[in-house]
Amino acid sequence: MYIQVTDLSFGWDSPLILNLSCRFETGWTGITGVNGSGKTTLLNLLTGGLLPESGDIQVAGSLLYCRQVPEPFPAEAESLFDDYSAEAYRVKRLYGLEEVWRYRPETLSHGERKRIQVAAAIWLAPDILILDEPTNHLDSESKAVLTAALKQFRGVGIIVSHDRQLLDELTNRTLFLEPPGHDLREQPYSEAVKVRDEEAAWNASRRASLQKQIRRLEGQAAAYRRLARGADKRSSKSRLDPKDHDGRLKLDCARLLGKDAMHGKMLNQLQGRIRQEQEKADALLLTKRPTFDFALHFTPDRRRYQFMLEEGEIRMGDKLLTYPDLSLGSGDHAALTGVNGSGKSTLLKMIYPHCREEETLYIPQEIPAAGQDSFFRRVNSLPNHDRGELYAIMAALGSDPRRVLAAESPSPGELRKLLIADAIRGQIALMILDEPTNHLDLKSIEALESALSAYRAALLLVSHDAYFLQGTTDRRWEITEGEPDTYTLRIRS
């Protein structure tokens, strides 16, 4: 069982995949790249949903493709729900599948649909399993269950994901798509990125050395060029009497045998070496990871706390969330964690009115359309200096700010980055962000992580991305389940 890809090329308006050759065999391969780099397109090519412009794809073995957006109740799930054996019961229990879900598919959440989709795929045990963003809408516990199940898969696995923890624990190879090029590494994502960074650092050092050598050679070439021009003047026959045949003969000999000829020869040699060194420098791949110094000029808020709440409880239908006294210091970075449905988003909505609205950025999971027009008008009317700083932050977050601001309807991910960039520029004292990595590719997630980690204001983040929280926060607000439908928030340092 395998998938053999040979000289595969495909594009829409421009080349997206060019001359890709690789072999997918037993084990998991992760595919990563920025939004629009062709990840889902490649999966559609591998599964026959698209035909390549050139090249060949050979598939040996049964194949199952779990798309990014699952159906309300996938057809392949029928066999699992119809099977009442001990093994089928184990799988359904492992993924928390409920029998009633098959009778009300239209009411299932995205997370529930994803759990059904992946559980059915594992249950059917294909030779080749292809997954597109399998952890979308899953909480930490569901991700852990999914990861454990996928580790037991013994076939050919191909996965597109922005979940670094999943990629590191599951895969042994990483395919980076960088249109129209690609880079296949025999390591999990984080290890592969480290190797690429080390190579980029070596390339940068080598390129600097080559450029120094080129400047030295160009200096020598300029000197020989001046000597050659002087020799041309000295050897010009225009100053000789037309009848001075001996003088003309001497000049011709000097050109052929003397230093004048050597100057021109050396100049040609130097120009050839300059071209060779420049070609070596141009061939070195340089990649630069984002760094942030926008927080260096931040003026800390003199208030000790951004908000303070007395202990209380929140009713959520039949569920109950209790919480202790809550406060967030002006420099605190706190992560709010808990399973889906435990009240994280509800708690954020309750906290926001207790904050100073003009000094707080609150971004819910789904950004409402109301207020977007006025926000864009304000951003577009910023003074040149402020707009330039905003552009710089957006570029560091991996987006073209002019393209985003010119779009009639920016993508949710681009809009989220623009709101955060404007908050950083304006030195907002508190950011409350609910799943800020939603709709972002891996490079954007890493750039946002770097930005929020460097930001000196207060942060309150909800995310199921463990790596992201580890890189941006220094304390935990953890919601745990006690009695059925009863949750308790605990503060952990």
Side-chain angles (χ1 to χ4, degrees):
M1 49 189 179
Y2 62 84
I3 297 181
Q4 177 66 51
V5 179
T6 306
D7 294 330
L8 176 66
S9 293
F10 183 87
W12 300 103
D13 296 331
S14 59
L16 191 60
I17 299 169
L18 189 63
N19 299 329
L20 171 62
S21 293
C22 63
R23 186 180 178 91
F24 299 97
E25 296 182 314
T26 302
W28 284 97
T29 300
I31 299 178
T32 72
V34 301
N35 290 339
S37 62
K39 301 184 295 295
T40 299
T41 296
L42 177 58
L43 298 190
N44 283 323
L45 288 164
L46 297 178
T47 56
L50 291 172
L51 297 177
E53 292 178 357
S54 61
D56 183 57
I57 300 173
Q58 295 181 356
V59 178
S62 59
L63 184 151
L64 183 60
Y65 177 25
C66 292
R67 299 180 182 277
Q68 184 171 343
V69 180
E71 301 171 17
F73 194 82
E76 55 266 21
E78 292 290 346
S79 62
L80 173 59
F81 276 80
D82 286 340
D83 194 321
Y84 294 95
S85 66
E87 178 61 18
Y89 176 76
R90 186 190 70 81
V91 172
K92 286 184 277 191
R93 186 164 180 246
L94 177 66
Y95 283 90
L97 309 186
E98 299 179 18
E99 186 68 25
V100 295
W101 288 1
R102 69 189 305 177
Y103 304 113
R104 54 176 184 84
E106 68 283 348
T107 67
L108 297 178
S109 69
H110 291 289
E112 290 167 341
R113 294 178 185 182
K114 182 63 71 173
R115 283 156 59 186
I116 293 173
Q117 181 195 47
V118 177
I122 295 294
W123 167 251
L124 292 173
D127 296 322
I128 303 167
L129 179 57
I130 298 180
L131 306 176
D132 193 354
E133 298 291 4
T135 59
N136 275 3
H137 308 289
L138 297 185
D139 56 36
S140 299
E141 291 186 8
S142 298
K143 285 184 182 182
V145 169
L146 172 69
T147 303
L150 295 180
K151 283 181 178 178
Q152 298 177 21
F153 180 68
R154 295 293 176 259
V156 179
I158 301 173
I159 182 170
V160 167
S161 178
H162 65 260
D163 189 320
R164 289 167 289 178
Q165 185 175 12
L166 174 64
L167 292 174
D168 286 345
E169 293 186 18
L170 183 64
T171 67
N172 49 35
R173 296 199 310 168
T174 305
L175 177 61
F176 295 89
L177 293 184
E178 298 162 340
H182 49 272
D183 184 14
L184 180 61
R185 300 286 175 149
E186 299 296 327
Q187 300 99 12
Y189 176 77
S190 293
E191 187 178 342
V193 168
K194 181 180 178 181
V195 171
R196 280 162 59 94
D197 285 348
E198 291 171 350
E199 290 180 0
W202 184 91
N203 286 345
S205 175
R206 176 61 178 154
R207 185 168 185 172
S209 177
L210 286 170
Q211 289 173 335
K212 182 178 179 180
Q213 172 76 349
I214 289 170
R215 289 193 296 270
R216 185 181 67 81
L217 292 173
E218 286 176 339
Q220 293 180 3
Y224 278 112
R225 197 174 290 112
R226 288 192 297 271
L227 289 171
R229 284 198 297 267
D232 286 342
K233 291 180 181 179
R234 290 193 303 273
S235 63
S236 173
K237 296 177 182 178
S238 62
R239 60 186 176 83
L240 296 177
D241 189 300
K243 296 179 180 181
D244 187 357
H245 300 294
D246 289 340
R248 290 174 179 273
L249 179 60
K250 288 179 181 179
L251 287 177
D252 289 338
C253 289
R255 288 174 178 171
L256 292 172
L257 304 174
K259 292 183 178 180
D260 296 348
M262 182 186 68
H263 294 159
K265 182 178 179 181
M266 289 299 296
L267 178 60
N268 288 335
Q269 290 177 351
L270 285 169
Q271 289 173 335
R273 285 190 62 190
I274 290 171
R275 285 194 296 271
Q276 292 173 359
E277 298 299 292
Q278 189 62 58
E279 288 173 359
K280 292 178 185 177
D282 292 342
L284 294 173
L285 175 65
L286 295 182
T287 56
K288 185 177 181 181
R289 293 171 70 78
T291 57
F292 287 82
D293 59 2
F294 305 107
L296 297 180
H297 307 294
F298 182 78
T299 303
D301 194 321
R302 294 186 178 183
R303 298 177 181 87
R304 185 175 181 184
Y305 296 107
Q306 289 300 312
F307 62 80
M308 298 181 69
L309 277 76
E310 294 183 353
E311 63 177 303
E313 61 183 35
I314 303 174
R315 285 282 177 186
M316 304 172 291
D318 295 333
K319 299 179 181 180
L320 176 67
L321 169 63
T322 61
Y323 57 87
D325 291 343
L326 295 177
S327 63
L328 190 70
S330 291
D332 291 346
H333 287 193
L336 175 58
T337 63
V339 299
N340 286 342
S342 60
K344 299 185 300 297
S345 296
T346 302
L347 180 61
L348 293 187
K349 291 176 184 176
M350 190 203 73
I351 288 174
Y352 178 57
H354 294 269
C355 305
R356 297 182 299 278
E357 183 176 353
E358 69 280 2
E359 298 180 32
T360 302
L361 172 67
Y362 168 51
I363 304 182
Q365 283 193 43
E366 301 301 328
I367 303 174
Q372 289 186 24
D373 289 342
S374 60
F375 169 72
F376 279 105
R377 284 195 301 271
R378 182 179 64 78
V379 167
N380 281 307
S381 63
L382 286 172
N384 290 338
H385 176 270
D386 292 343
R387 195 179 322 117
E389 193 171 57
L390 175 66
Y391 285 1
I393 300 172
M394 278 293 287
L397 291 175
S399 293
D400 180 350
R402 291 177 176 82
R403 178 180 56 77
V404 175
L405 289 169
E408 290 186 8
S409 180
S411 70
E414 298 283 30
L415 178 57
R416 185 174 277 104
K417 283 195 281 187
L418 183 61
L419 289 166
I420 293 172
D422 184 56
I424 293 175
R425 178 205 62 78
Q427 300 194 3
I428 287 292
L430 168 64
M431 290 193 221
I432 301 175
L433 308 178
D434 195 350
E435 295 291 356
T437 62
N438 278 0
H439 310 291
L440 298 185
D441 56 63
L442 261 175
K443 282 192 175 181
S444 295
I445 291 173
E446 290 171 342
L448 180 60
E449 179 182 313
S450 177
L452 295 181
S453 175
Y455 196 54
R456 296 181 183 178
L459 294 173
L460 179 55
L461 306 179
V462 168
S463 177
H464 292 305
D465 187 328
Y467 280 21
F468 182 77
L469 292 180
Q470 182 178 350
T472 55
T473 61
D474 52 20
R475 59 197 62 211
R476 291 286 185 275
W477 294 8
E478 183 180 355
I479 298 177
T480 58
E481 187 172 10
E483 297 295 327
D485 295 328
T486 300
Y487 301 92
T488 302
L489 173 63
R490 292 181 171 87
I491 309 297
R492 305 187 186 280
S493 57

